[in-house]
C-alpha cells in the first residue's frame, strides 16, 4: 500500500523531531473507495449505503503476520457488512486511523476492480492485504 503524504510527513517528522510524534493506533480501519485516490489522500469516495462501515483491524499479531522484507499482510479475513444497496465498482482500499473521518494513512488501487451489488459481502482473504511503510510504487 502506498503511503499518503500525511503519513509520510508524520513518520518523518516524528523520527526527526519536526512535528508531533506519530501515535500508532490500537485499531486501524479499512475502507473502500469507488474512485482512485491521490497521494495526498484526496478523492477517497466511500459507498453511501447505510450498511457500509469501515472494518476495524486491531493492531496485533493476531491481525498481521511477521514483517517480510518490510511488508506485513493480514492473517485473517477482512469482511465488510453485506451491502443493502449497490456500492458501485471498488477501485481502492485505504487504511484510516479512525472509524469515521480521520486520516487516510495508506491506500492501494486494486489490480482488478470489484463491482459490489446489493446483497454482496466484500471480502479480503488472508495474505491479500499487503502493507509496507516505506517507499513503494503507487498501485
Amino acid at each position: 500500500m502506498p503511503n499518503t503524504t500525511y503519513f509520510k510527513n508524520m513518520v518523518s517528522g516524528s523520527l526527526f523531531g519536526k512535528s508531533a510524534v506519530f501515535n500508532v493506533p490500537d485499531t486501524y480501519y479499512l475502507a473502500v473507495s469507488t474512485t482512485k485516490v491521490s497521494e495526498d489522500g484526496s478523492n477517497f469516495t466511500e459507498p453511501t449505503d447505510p450498511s457500509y462501515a469501515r472494518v476495524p483491524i486491531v493492531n496485533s499479531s493476531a491481525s498481521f503476520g511477521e514483517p517480510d522484507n518490510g511488508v506485513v499482510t493480514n492473517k485473517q479475513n477482512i469482511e465488510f457488512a453485506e451491502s443493502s444497496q449497490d456500492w458501485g465498482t471498488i477501485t481502492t482500499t485505504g487504511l484510516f486511523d479512525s472509524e469515521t473521518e480521520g486520516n487516510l494513512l495508506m491506500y492501494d488501487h486494486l489490480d482488478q476492480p470489484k463491482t459490489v451489488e446489493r446483497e454482496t459481502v466484500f471480502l479480503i482473504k488472508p495474505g491479500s492485504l499487503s502493507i509496507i511503510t516505506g517507499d513503494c510504487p503507487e498501485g
Side-chain angles (χ1 to χ4, degrees):
M1 292 186 121
N3 303 307
T4 60
T5 305
Y6 166 83
F7 184 75
K8 288 188 260 189
N9 289 342
M10 284 298 297
V11 171
S12 295
S14 294
L15 289 174
F16 298 103
K18 298 297 181 188
S19 65
V21 175
F22 178 70
N23 293 314
V24 177
D26 292 330
T27 304
Y28 294 102
Y29 296 88
L30 190 70
V32 297
S33 175
T34 56
T35 53
K36 286 201 169 194
V37 179
S38 301
E39 186 178 1
D40 67 3
S42 64
N43 202 36
F44 199 96
T45 308
E46 294 179 76
T48 57
D49 180 356
S51 70
Y52 171 80
R54 295 176 184 170
V55 176
I57 303 173
V58 176
N59 187 6
S60 73
S61 61
S63 298
F64 300 105
E66 289 293 321
D68 182 12
N69 200 27
V71 179
V72 295
T73 58
N74 61 310
K75 289 174 63 175
Q76 303 172 353
N77 281 337
I78 301 172
E79 188 173 312
F80 286 80
E82 183 176 301
S83 60
S84 62
Q85 301 172 1
D86 291 351
W87 289 4
T89 301
I90 304 303
T91 62
T92 308
T93 58
L95 205 59
F96 282 81
D97 60 5
S98 179
E99 186 173 10
T100 60
E101 302 294 325
N103 300 293
L104 177 61
L105 305 175
M106 301 172 196
Y107 62 94
D108 198 16
H109 301 301
L110 301 179
D111 291 335
Q112 297 178 352
K114 306 286 183 198
T115 299
V116 176
E117 297 175 344
R118 186 173 170 267
E119 298 178 348
T120 300
V121 173
F122 188 81
L123 174 75
I124 298 172
K125 294 180 181 179
S128 296
L129 181 68
S130 297
I131 301 170
I132 183 170
T133 55
D135 212 12
C136 58
E138 186 172 331

